[in-house]
PDB file of all heavy atoms in Angstrom:
ATOM      1  N   GLY E  54       2.056  -4.626   7.081  1.00  0.00           N
ATOM      2  CA  GLY E  54       0.972  -3.947   6.365  1.00  0.00           C
ATOM      3  C   GLY E  54       0.452  -2.750   7.063  1.00  0.00           C
ATOM      4  O   GLY E  54       0.001  -1.805   6.315  1.00  0.00           O
ATOM      5  N   ALA E  55       0.633  -2.646   8.334  1.00  0.00           N
ATOM      6  CA  ALA E  55       0.312  -1.349   9.013  1.00  0.00           C
ATOM      7  C   ALA E  55       0.972  -0.174   8.539  1.00  0.00           C
ATOM      8  O   ALA E  55       0.580   1.099   8.647  1.00  0.00           O
ATOM      9  CB  ALA E  55       0.360  -1.532  10.535  1.00  0.00           C
ATOM     10  N   TRP E  56       2.207  -0.316   7.851  1.00  0.00           N
ATOM     11  CA  TRP E  56       2.889   0.778   7.333  1.00  0.00           C
ATOM     12  C   TRP E  56       2.142   1.707   6.356  1.00  0.00           C
ATOM     13  O   TRP E  56       2.342   2.767   6.381  1.00  0.00           O
ATOM     14  CB  TRP E  56       4.212   0.223   6.802  1.00  0.00           C
ATOM     15  CG  TRP E  56       5.065   1.309   5.923  1.00  0.00           C
ATOM     16  CD1 TRP E  56       5.516   2.409   6.270  1.00  0.00           C
ATOM     17  CD2 TRP E  56       5.356   1.160   4.513  1.00  0.00           C
ATOM     18  NE1 TRP E  56       6.146   3.067   5.333  1.00  0.00           N
ATOM     19  CE2 TRP E  56       6.051   2.232   4.231  1.00  0.00           C
ATOM     20  CE3 TRP E  56       5.145   0.093   3.530  1.00  0.00           C
ATOM     21  CZ2 TRP E  56       6.482   2.534   2.964  1.00  0.00           C
ATOM     22  CZ3 TRP E  56       5.581   0.407   2.235  1.00  0.00           C
ATOM     23  CH2 TRP E  56       6.259   1.556   1.956  1.00  0.00           C
ATOM     24  N   LEU E  57       1.215   0.963   5.678  1.00  0.00           N
ATOM     25  CA  LEU E  57       0.486   1.670   4.699  1.00  0.00           C
ATOM     26  C   LEU E  57      -0.484   2.844   5.335  1.00  0.00           C
ATOM     27  O   LEU E  57      -0.740   3.652   4.642  1.00  0.00           O
ATOM     28  CB  LEU E  57      -0.331   0.714   3.851  1.00  0.00           C
ATOM     29  CG  LEU E  57       0.499  -0.361   3.024  1.00  0.00           C
ATOM     30  CD1 LEU E  57      -0.428  -1.197   2.146  1.00  0.00           C
ATOM     31  CD2 LEU E  57       1.522   0.277   2.188  1.00  0.00           C
ATOM     32  N   ASN E  58      -0.743   2.550   6.592  1.00  0.00           N
ATOM     33  CA  ASN E  58      -1.692   3.473   7.291  1.00  0.00           C
ATOM     34  C   ASN E  58      -0.870   4.716   7.830  1.00  0.00           C
ATOM     35  O   ASN E  58      -1.628   5.700   8.226  1.00  0.00           O
ATOM     36  CB  ASN E  58      -2.442   2.774   8.322  1.00  0.00           C
ATOM     37  CG  ASN E  58      -3.342   1.715   7.751  1.00  0.00           C
ATOM     38  OD1 ASN E  58      -3.982   1.862   6.737  1.00  0.00           O
ATOM     39  ND2 ASN E  58      -3.530   0.542   8.598  1.00  0.00           N
ATOM     40  N   TRP E  59       0.260   4.643   7.899  1.00  0.00           N
ATOM     41  CA  TRP E  59       1.095   5.766   8.471  1.00  0.00           C
ATOM     42  C   TRP E  59       2.187   6.331   7.538  1.00  0.00           C
ATOM     43  O   TRP E  59       3.323   6.742   8.034  1.00  0.00           O
ATOM     44  CB  TRP E  59       1.574   5.558   9.931  1.00  0.00           C
ATOM     45  CG  TRP E  59       2.122   4.168  10.229  1.00  0.00           C
ATOM     46  CD1 TRP E  59       1.415   3.152  10.627  1.00  0.00           C
ATOM     47  CD2 TRP E  59       3.541   3.813  10.205  1.00  0.00           C
ATOM     48  NE1 TRP E  59       2.256   2.021  10.899  1.00  0.00           N
ATOM     49  CE2 TRP E  59       3.604   2.369  10.673  1.00  0.00           C
ATOM     50  CE3 TRP E  59       4.758   4.368   9.950  1.00  0.00           C
ATOM     51  CZ2 TRP E  59       4.692   1.642  10.821  1.00  0.00           C
ATOM     52  CZ3 TRP E  59       5.892   3.680  10.115  1.00  0.00           C
ATOM     53  CH2 TRP E  59       5.871   2.343  10.475  1.00  0.00           C
ATOM     54  N   GLY E  60       1.787   6.319   6.227  1.00  0.00           N
ATOM     55  CA  GLY E  60       2.753   6.934   5.325  1.00  0.00           C
ATOM     56  C   GLY E  60       3.210   6.094   4.033  1.00  0.00           C
ATOM     57  O   GLY E  60       3.501   6.529   3.081  1.00  0.00           O
ATOM     58  N   GLY E  61       2.919   4.809   4.220  1.00  0.00           N
ATOM     59  CA  GLY E  61       3.266   3.838   3.142  1.00  0.00           C
ATOM     60  C   GLY E  61       2.512   4.169   1.835  1.00  0.00           C
ATOM     61  O   GLY E  61       2.976   3.940   0.755  1.00  0.00           O
ATOM     62  N   ARG E  62       1.240   4.487   2.026  1.00  0.00           N
ATOM     63  CA  ARG E  62       0.395   4.643   0.770  1.00  0.00           C
ATOM     64  C   ARG E  62       1.061   5.793  -0.128  1.00  0.00           C
ATOM     65  O   ARG E  62       1.141   5.577  -1.301  1.00  0.00           O
ATOM     66  CB  ARG E  62      -0.990   5.145   1.216  1.00  0.00           C
ATOM     67  CG  ARG E  62      -1.845   4.111   1.934  1.00  0.00           C
ATOM     68  CD  ARG E  62      -3.036   4.577   2.468  1.00  0.00           C
ATOM     69  NE  ARG E  62      -3.981   3.661   3.102  1.00  0.00           N
ATOM     70  CZ  ARG E  62      -4.999   3.040   2.569  1.00  0.00           C
ATOM     71  NH1 ARG E  62      -5.281   3.388   1.313  1.00  0.00           N
ATOM     72  NH2 ARG E  62      -5.659   2.098   3.234  1.00  0.00           N
ATOM     73  N   GLU E  63       1.347   6.946   0.610  1.00  0.00           N
ATOM     74  CA  GLU E  63       1.923   8.058  -0.172  1.00  0.00           C
ATOM     75  C   GLU E  63       3.325   7.661  -0.896  1.00  0.00           C
ATOM     76  O   GLU E  63       3.655   8.107  -1.973  1.00  0.00           O
ATOM     77  CB  GLU E  63       2.184   9.242   0.749  1.00  0.00           C
ATOM     78  CG  GLU E  63       0.842   9.857   1.236  1.00  0.00           C
ATOM     79  CD  GLU E  63       0.210   9.114   2.355  1.00  0.00           C
ATOM     80  OE1 GLU E  63       0.856   8.183   2.961  1.00  0.00           O
ATOM     81  OE2 GLU E  63      -0.763   9.688   2.850  1.00  0.00           O
ATOM     82  N   THR E  64       4.098   6.796  -0.162  1.00  0.00           N
ATOM     83  CA  THR E  64       5.334   6.368  -0.804  1.00  0.00           C
ATOM     84  C   THR E  64       5.139   5.454  -1.886  1.00  0.00           C
ATOM     85  O   THR E  64       5.749   5.616  -3.037  1.00  0.00           O
ATOM     86  CB  THR E  64       6.196   5.712   0.403  1.00  0.00           C
ATOM     87  OG1 THR E  64       6.612   6.630   1.314  1.00  0.00           O
ATOM     88  CG2 THR E  64       7.455   5.019  -0.209  1.00  0.00           C
ATOM     89  N   LEU E  65       4.185   4.546  -1.878  1.00  0.00           N
ATOM     90  CA  LEU E  65       3.839   3.644  -2.927  1.00  0.00           C
ATOM     91  C   LEU E  65       3.397   4.434  -4.091  1.00  0.00           C
ATOM     92  O   LEU E  65       3.685   4.169  -5.300  1.00  0.00           O
ATOM     93  CB  LEU E  65       2.912   2.573  -2.590  1.00  0.00           C
ATOM     94  CG  LEU E  65       3.347   1.443  -1.575  1.00  0.00           C
ATOM     95  CD1 LEU E  65       2.174   0.582  -1.189  1.00  0.00           C
ATOM     96  CD2 LEU E  65       4.542   0.700  -2.055  1.00  0.00           C
ATOM     97  N   ASN E  66       2.494   5.438  -3.884  1.00  0.00           N
ATOM     98  CA  ASN E  66       2.086   6.287  -4.954  1.00  0.00           C
ATOM     99  C   ASN E  66       3.221   6.989  -5.735  1.00  0.00           C
ATOM    100  O   ASN E  66       3.281   7.186  -6.926  1.00  0.00           O
ATOM    101  CB  ASN E  66       1.052   7.244  -4.509  1.00  0.00           C
ATOM    102  CG  ASN E  66      -0.195   6.602  -4.094  1.00  0.00           C
ATOM    103  OD1 ASN E  66      -0.646   5.610  -4.594  1.00  0.00           O
ATOM    104  ND2 ASN E  66      -0.963   7.246  -3.237  1.00  0.00           N
ATOM    105  N   SER E  67       4.194   7.471  -4.797  1.00  0.00           N
ATOM    106  CA  SER E  67       5.264   8.165  -5.457  1.00  0.00           C
ATOM    107  C   SER E  67       6.094   7.408  -6.391  1.00  0.00           C
ATOM    108  O   SER E  67       6.802   7.864  -7.242  1.00  0.00           O
ATOM    109  CB  SER E  67       6.208   8.848  -4.367  1.00  0.00           C
ATOM    110  OG  SER E  67       7.018   7.893  -3.766  1.00  0.00           O
ATOM    111  N   TYR E  68       6.094   5.983  -6.166  1.00  0.00           N
ATOM    112  CA  TYR E  68       6.856   5.059  -7.007  1.00  0.00           C
ATOM    113  C   TYR E  68       5.878   4.560  -8.097  1.00  0.00           C
ATOM    114  O   TYR E  68       6.215   3.581  -8.733  1.00  0.00           O
ATOM    115  CB  TYR E  68       7.452   3.866  -6.145  1.00  0.00           C
ATOM    116  CG  TYR E  68       8.616   4.318  -5.421  1.00  0.00           C
ATOM    117  CD1 TYR E  68       8.598   4.453  -4.037  1.00  0.00           C
ATOM    118  CD2 TYR E  68       9.915   4.443  -6.041  1.00  0.00           C
ATOM    119  CE1 TYR E  68       9.819   4.856  -3.325  1.00  0.00           C
ATOM    120  CE2 TYR E  68      11.065   4.688  -5.420  1.00  0.00           C
ATOM    121  CZ  TYR E  68      10.989   5.000  -4.015  1.00  0.00           C
ATOM    122  OH  TYR E  68      12.055   5.274  -3.303  1.00  0.00           O
ATOM    123  N   GLY E  69       4.753   5.125  -8.247  1.00  0.00           N
ATOM    124  CA  GLY E  69       3.927   4.730  -9.265  1.00  0.00           C
ATOM    125  C   GLY E  69       3.068   3.571  -9.041  1.00  0.00           C
ATOM    126  O   GLY E  69       2.639   2.889  -9.947  1.00  0.00           O
ATOM    127  N   ILE E  70       2.787   3.144  -7.873  1.00  0.00           N
ATOM    128  CA  ILE E  70       2.197   1.998  -7.470  1.00  0.00           C
ATOM    129  C   ILE E  70       0.667   2.370  -6.968  1.00  0.00           C
ATOM    130  O   ILE E  70       0.673   3.010  -5.857  1.00  0.00           O
ATOM    131  CB  ILE E  70       2.869   1.053  -6.481  1.00  0.00           C
ATOM    132  CG1 ILE E  70       4.225   0.752  -6.944  1.00  0.00           C
ATOM    133  CG2 ILE E  70       1.924  -0.005  -6.033  1.00  0.00           C
ATOM    134  CD1 ILE E  70       5.043   0.080  -5.890  1.00  0.00           C
ATOM    135  N   PRO E  71      -0.311   2.139  -7.708  1.00  0.00           N
ATOM    136  CA  PRO E  71      -1.706   2.535  -7.169  1.00  0.00           C
ATOM    137  C   PRO E  71      -2.267   1.474  -6.123  1.00  0.00           C
ATOM    138  O   PRO E  71      -1.908   0.270  -6.257  1.00  0.00           O
ATOM    139  CB  PRO E  71      -2.556   2.519  -8.467  1.00  0.00           C
ATOM    140  CG  PRO E  71      -1.966   1.489  -9.361  1.00  0.00           C
ATOM    141  CD  PRO E  71      -0.423   1.654  -9.152  1.00  0.00           C
ATOM    142  N   LEU E  72      -3.046   2.011  -5.311  1.00  0.00           N
ATOM    143  CA  LEU E  72      -3.556   1.095  -4.252  1.00  0.00           C
ATOM    144  C   LEU E  72      -5.081   0.846  -4.488  1.00  0.00           C
ATOM    145  O   LEU E  72      -5.719   1.772  -4.953  1.00  0.00           O
ATOM    146  CB  LEU E  72      -3.388   1.758  -2.836  1.00  0.00           C
ATOM    147  CG  LEU E  72      -2.080   1.467  -2.218  1.00  0.00           C
ATOM    148  CD1 LEU E  72      -0.945   2.253  -2.757  1.00  0.00           C
ATOM    149  CD2 LEU E  72      -2.012   1.741  -0.662  1.00  0.00           C
ATOM    150  N   PRO E  73      -5.467  -0.307  -4.243  1.00  0.00           N
ATOM    151  CA  PRO E  73      -6.914  -0.635  -4.403  1.00  0.00           C
ATOM    152  C   PRO E  73      -7.850   0.207  -3.574  1.00  0.00           C
ATOM    153  O   PRO E  73      -7.390   0.568  -2.409  1.00  0.00           O
ATOM    154  CB  PRO E  73      -6.969  -2.152  -4.037  1.00  0.00           C
ATOM    155  CG  PRO E  73      -5.570  -2.681  -4.108  1.00  0.00           C
ATOM    156  CD  PRO E  73      -4.746  -1.470  -3.828  1.00  0.00           C
ATOM    157  N   ALA E  74      -8.992   0.425  -4.062  1.00  0.00           N
ATOM    158  CA  ALA E  74      -9.952   1.242  -3.326  1.00  0.00           C
ATOM    159  C   ALA E  74     -10.235   0.608  -1.956  1.00  0.00           C
ATOM    160  O   ALA E  74     -10.342   1.228  -0.891  1.00  0.00           O
ATOM    161  CB  ALA E  74     -11.240   1.610  -4.016  1.00  0.00           C
ATOM    162  N   ASN E  75     -10.402  -0.619  -1.996  1.00  0.00           N
ATOM    163  CA  ASN E  75     -10.722  -1.359  -0.794  1.00  0.00           C
ATOM    164  C   ASN E  75      -9.559  -2.250  -0.411  1.00  0.00           C
ATOM    165  O   ASN E  75      -9.635  -3.465  -0.733  1.00  0.00           O
ATOM    166  CB  ASN E  75     -12.062  -2.185  -0.994  1.00  0.00           C
ATOM    167  CG  ASN E  75     -13.218  -1.465  -1.171  1.00  0.00           C
ATOM    168  OD1 ASN E  75     -13.488  -0.418  -0.565  1.00  0.00           O
ATOM    169  ND2 ASN E  75     -14.078  -1.744  -2.185  1.00  0.00           N
ATOM    170  N   LEU E  76      -8.614  -1.588   0.260  1.00  0.00           N
ATOM    171  CA  LEU E  76      -7.281  -2.218   0.526  1.00  0.00           C
ATOM    172  C   LEU E  76      -7.506  -3.271   1.644  1.00  0.00           C
ATOM    173  O   LEU E  76      -8.149  -2.991   2.662  1.00  0.00           O
ATOM    174  CB  LEU E  76      -6.244  -1.331   0.943  1.00  0.00           C
ATOM    175  CG  LEU E  76      -4.796  -1.753   1.146  1.00  0.00           C
ATOM    176  CD1 LEU E  76      -4.270  -2.282  -0.140  1.00  0.00           C
ATOM    177  CD2 LEU E  76      -4.110  -0.657   1.723  1.00  0.00           C
ATOM    178  N   GLY E  77      -7.047  -4.568   1.400  1.00  0.00           N
ATOM    179  CA  GLY E  77      -7.191  -5.593   2.483  1.00  0.00           C
ATOM    180  C   GLY E  77      -5.899  -6.361   2.554  1.00  0.00           C
ATOM    181  O   GLY E  77      -4.927  -6.182   1.794  1.00  0.00           O
ATOM    182  N   PRO E  78      -5.850  -7.259   3.467  1.00  0.00           N
ATOM    183  CA  PRO E  78      -4.619  -8.085   3.778  1.00  0.00           C
ATOM    184  C   PRO E  78      -4.218  -8.871   2.475  1.00  0.00           C
ATOM    185  O   PRO E  78      -3.044  -9.147   2.317  1.00  0.00           O
ATOM    186  CB  PRO E  78      -5.027  -9.017   4.857  1.00  0.00           C
ATOM    187  CG  PRO E  78      -6.161  -8.383   5.642  1.00  0.00           C
ATOM    188  CD  PRO E  78      -6.788  -7.602   4.543  1.00  0.00           C
ATOM    189  N   GLU E  79      -5.156  -9.224   1.662  1.00  0.00           N
ATOM    190  CA  GLU E  79      -4.909 -10.001   0.482  1.00  0.00           C
ATOM    191  C   GLU E  79      -4.089  -9.271  -0.569  1.00  0.00           C
ATOM    192  O   GLU E  79      -3.511  -9.844  -1.516  1.00  0.00           O
ATOM    193  CB  GLU E  79      -6.258 -10.517  -0.073  1.00  0.00           C
ATOM    194  CG  GLU E  79      -7.156  -9.471  -0.748  1.00  0.00           C
ATOM    195  CD  GLU E  79      -8.051  -8.807   0.279  1.00  0.00           C
ATOM    196  OE1 GLU E  79      -7.781  -8.996   1.439  1.00  0.00           O
ATOM    197  OE2 GLU E  79      -8.960  -7.995  -0.224  1.00  0.00           O
ATOM    198  N   HIS E  80      -3.997  -7.972  -0.384  1.00  0.00           N
ATOM    199  CA  HIS E  80      -3.218  -7.079  -1.391  1.00  0.00           C
ATOM    200  C   HIS E  80      -1.809  -6.896  -0.911  1.00  0.00           C
ATOM    201  O   HIS E  80      -0.959  -6.478  -1.762  1.00  0.00           O
ATOM    202  CB  HIS E  80      -3.845  -5.657  -1.529  1.00  0.00           C
ATOM    203  CG  HIS E  80      -5.289  -5.800  -2.051  1.00  0.00           C
ATOM    204  ND1 HIS E  80      -6.396  -5.530  -1.244  1.00  0.00           N
ATOM    205  CD2 HIS E  80      -5.722  -6.134  -3.243  1.00  0.00           C
ATOM    206  CE1 HIS E  80      -7.446  -5.570  -2.012  1.00  0.00           C
ATOM    207  NE2 HIS E  80      -7.171  -6.036  -3.261  1.00  0.00           N
ATOM    208  N   MET E  81      -1.423  -7.282   0.278  1.00  0.00           N
ATOM    209  CA  MET E  81      -0.058  -7.021   0.765  1.00  0.00           C
ATOM    210  C   MET E  81       1.085  -7.624  -0.024  1.00  0.00           C
ATOM    211  O   MET E  81       1.925  -6.880  -0.323  1.00  0.00           O
ATOM    212  CB  MET E  81      -0.006  -7.310   2.322  1.00  0.00           C
ATOM    213  CG  MET E  81      -1.022  -6.572   3.173  1.00  0.00           C
ATOM    214  SD  MET E  81      -0.783  -4.770   3.015  1.00  0.00           S
ATOM    215  CE  MET E  81      -2.356  -4.195   3.486  1.00  0.00           C
ATOM    216  N   GLU E  82       1.008  -8.800  -0.237  1.00  0.00           N
ATOM    217  CA  GLU E  82       2.073  -9.494  -0.941  1.00  0.00           C
ATOM    218  C   GLU E  82       2.259  -8.891  -2.322  1.00  0.00           C
ATOM    219  O   GLU E  82       3.363  -8.709  -2.827  1.00  0.00           O
ATOM    220  CB  GLU E  82       1.859 -11.020  -0.992  1.00  0.00           C
ATOM    221  CG  GLU E  82       1.861 -11.656   0.312  1.00  0.00           C
ATOM    222  CD  GLU E  82       3.229 -11.705   0.959  1.00  0.00           C
ATOM    223  OE1 GLU E  82       4.271 -11.323   0.274  1.00  0.00           O
ATOM    224  OE2 GLU E  82       3.371 -11.945   2.107  1.00  0.00           O
ATOM    225  N   LEU E  83       1.220  -8.595  -3.056  1.00  0.00           N
ATOM    226  CA  LEU E  83       1.170  -8.066  -4.380  1.00  0.00           C
ATOM    227  C   LEU E  83       1.896  -6.621  -4.359  1.00  0.00           C
ATOM    228  O   LEU E  83       2.632  -6.337  -5.258  1.00  0.00           O
ATOM    229  CB  LEU E  83      -0.171  -7.845  -5.028  1.00  0.00           C
ATOM    230  CG  LEU E  83      -0.282  -7.173  -6.305  1.00  0.00           C
ATOM    231  CD1 LEU E  83       0.586  -7.869  -7.426  1.00  0.00           C
ATOM    232  CD2 LEU E  83      -1.765  -7.102  -6.793  1.00  0.00           C
ATOM    233  N   LEU E  84       1.447  -5.841  -3.332  1.00  0.00           N
ATOM    234  CA  LEU E  84       2.078  -4.466  -3.259  1.00  0.00           C
ATOM    235  C   LEU E  84       3.578  -4.506  -2.929  1.00  0.00           C
ATOM    236  O   LEU E  84       4.412  -3.832  -3.447  1.00  0.00           O
ATOM    237  CB  LEU E  84       1.355  -3.694  -2.210  1.00  0.00           C
ATOM    238  CG  LEU E  84      -0.201  -3.239  -2.598  1.00  0.00           C
ATOM    239  CD1 LEU E  84      -0.848  -2.685  -1.269  1.00  0.00           C
ATOM    240  CD2 LEU E  84      -0.171  -2.296  -3.659  1.00  0.00           C
ATOM    241  N   SER E  85       3.923  -5.602  -2.111  1.00  0.00           N
ATOM    242  CA  SER E  85       5.370  -5.605  -1.797  1.00  0.00           C
ATOM    243  C   SER E  85       6.109  -6.059  -2.985  1.00  0.00           C
ATOM    244  O   SER E  85       7.205  -5.420  -3.347  1.00  0.00           O
ATOM    245  CB  SER E  85       5.530  -6.768  -0.690  1.00  0.00           C
ATOM    246  OG  SER E  85       6.855  -6.966  -0.376  1.00  0.00           O
TER     247      SER E  85
END
């Protein structure tokens, strides 16, 4: 999950995946 803090957020956005405003551990499996 730490990947989202050093670049993964931007990559997910580029694939059309929005991230929750309050991102937490409970969101990781869904994002994957």
Side-chain angles (χ1 to χ4, degrees):
W56 170 59
L57 301 183
N58 295 324
W59 38 275
R62 292 171 179 262
E63 292 83 356
T64 294
L65 291 179
N66 288 337
S67 77
Y68 283 105
I70 302 170
L72 275 71
N75 297 313
L76 185 64
E79 68 275 12
H80 299 108
M81 296 303 156
E82 294 293 348
L83 173 61
L84 291 172
S85 179

